[in-house]
Amino acid sequence: MLGFYLKRLAAGLMMLIALSIMVFVLLRLAPGDPVDAYLNPLAPLSQAEMDALRQRLGLDRSWPVQYLVWLSAALAGDLGYSIDRAGVRVLPLLVERTGPTLLLMLTGLAMAIMLGIAAGVLGAVKRNSALDIGLGLVAFVTISTPAFLNALLGLYVFAVVLRWAPSGGMLTPGAPFSLSDLLAHLILPASLLAGVYSALFMRYMRSSMIEVLNQDYLRTARAKGVGEFAVIVRHALRNAVLPVITLIGSTIGIAIGGAIFIESVFDWPGMGLLMVKAVETRDYPVIMGATLLIGAGVILVNLLTDLAYAVVDPRIQVR
């Protein structure tokens, strides 16, 4: 088992390096010049000054040298300085933005897992009933609607029309910190983030649960007098949830993309909003650092998913 996880970890590191190379090349191929972020339209620099600035940033070197310099520094824990924010180191900036993004993403995923599994079990137990059909219709509409449309509609309906939640930000500007204020700002973007994934989890959970409910060992349990609630919760749910655990692990990367979009719509001060602004200004160090951090997070979550899979069903031997 330990050998398997060491191999997965080594493969994950190789994927992380491959991802950083791909992002590095794509950034260099994109049109524009990052030095432009330093230029003041009212006080343009001469060509000699721009060349000196490019040399100071290391942009005058060949691409392989630039990448190797960045990689060696990154392995030592130094992700460099932001180009758009002069004098600001990238690693503390990313660490500062990681907390809000994790709060939003984990809250959304927790809501999606609870709602999706509960709705999937209800749909399977009440198969072909009005409740099952209604849940399936809601899931179909939610999955079929583009994420940006869900976010914009939710923002308009719940924040602008009904005024049930603030329209943006993480805290009320100028107000002292309070948990209730944070939750008030969190509930709407987290709910919208949870919407699509809960519908996805529900469909998988319903299919898996229907298959498990038809197994012979559940009929045996009922014949022995085990109550229906105990049959579903103690015997069926544990086996039916295995495919959903795998889906949750593979959904993390997609959920990060969804969180980035939600942060942009709701002006949530997380890593997604930081990355969007970094792409706009071609802030290479921030984009590379954020990519490395997000990639490491996805690899870690996939490893934890394998662990959870084996814990839920000890019969599974991972090789």
Side-chain angles (χ1 to χ4, degrees):
M1 182 74 78
L2 179 61
F4 169 78
Y5 287 112
L6 290 177
K7 288 180 182 177
R8 289 291 306 270
L9 185 61
L13 291 176
M14 295 301 294
M15 290 174 57
L16 204 55
I17 292 176
L19 176 65
S20 66
I21 293 175
M22 184 179 69
V23 173
F24 179 86
V25 172
L26 289 176
L27 286 173
R28 263 57 181 182
L29 291 175
D33 190 338
V35 175
D36 292 343
Y38 277 83
L39 299 181
N40 183 350
L42 301 178
L45 300 178
S46 65
Q47 185 60 46
E49 290 173 322
M50 289 184 64
D51 291 342
L53 180 59
R54 189 171 284 106
Q55 183 179 12
R56 181 164 65 85
L57 295 173
L59 298 174
D60 60 328
R61 301 175 180 176
S62 64
W63 288 5
V65 172
Q66 287 185 45
Y67 176 77
L68 290 176
V69 169
W70 175 84
L71 182 62
S72 60
L75 292 175
D78 181 9
L79 297 177
Y81 290 87
S82 167
I83 292 178
D84 188 42
R85 299 168 173 80
V88 175
R89 300 188 72 87
V90 172
L91 186 56
L93 184 62
L94 293 178
V95 170
E96 177 187 338
R97 296 298 188 100
T98 299
T101 293
L102 284 178
L103 178 64
L104 174 63
M105 193 181 72
L106 294 181
T107 304
L109 275 180
M111 295 170 66
I113 292 169
M114 289 188 291
L115 290 174
I117 290 178
V121 172
L122 278 176
V125 173
K126 304 291 183 183
R127 188 172 19 167
N128 298 328
S129 67
L131 177 63
D132 181 31
I133 295 173
L135 289 173
L137 183 61
V138 171
F140 176 77
V141 172
T142 304
I143 293 175
S144 304
T145 307
F148 72 91
L149 189 57
N150 279 330
L152 293 176
L153 280 174
L155 177 67
Y156 177 74
V157 172
F158 296 108
V160 177
V161 177
L162 300 176
R163 297 179 182 276
W164 287 357
S167 60
M170 186 173 173
L171 296 167
T172 302
F177 174 82
S178 69
L179 185 59
S180 59
D181 187 40
L182 174 62
L183 292 176
H185 285 79
L186 175 64
I187 187 65
L188 183 55
S191 299
L192 293 173
L193 182 63
V196 174
Y197 303 110
S198 63
L200 194 62
F201 296 154
M202 189 208 83
R203 292 173 65 89
Y204 271 79
M205 189 67 203
R206 179 183 180 277
S207 300
S208 178
M209 195 71 180
I210 288 175
E211 184 178 346
V212 171
L213 287 175
N214 292 324
Q215 297 296 316
D216 290 338
Y217 69 92
L218 292 186
R219 296 192 187 97
T220 303
R222 292 190 184 98
K224 289 182 177 179
V226 179
E228 189 64 21
F229 182 80
V231 167
I232 293 172
V233 174
R234 290 172 51 191
H235 299 282
L237 182 60
R238 185 166 185 169
N239 292 322
V241 82
L242 288 174
V244 181
I245 290 177
T246 306
L247 179 66
I248 291 170
S250 60
T251 304
I252 294 296
I254 305 173
I256 292 174
I260 289 174
F261 183 78
I262 292 289
E263 288 181 8
S264 301
V265 172
F266 285 89
D267 199 27
W268 186 266
M271 195 178 297
L273 189 60
L274 178 68
M275 280 194 72
V276 170
K277 292 182 179 177
V279 170
E280 290 175 352
T281 57
R282 300 197 61 180
D283 196 342
Y284 290 160
V286 172
I287 298 173
M288 292 295 294
T291 301
L292 189 70
L293 198 61
I294 292 174
V298 171
I299 290 170
L300 178 62
V301 168
N302 282 322
L303 285 175
L304 293 176
T305 302
D306 288 337
L307 273 175
Y309 206 80
V311 169
V312 171
D313 190 349
R315 296 172 302 172
I316 298 174
Q317 295 295 320
V318 182
R319 294 185 175 87

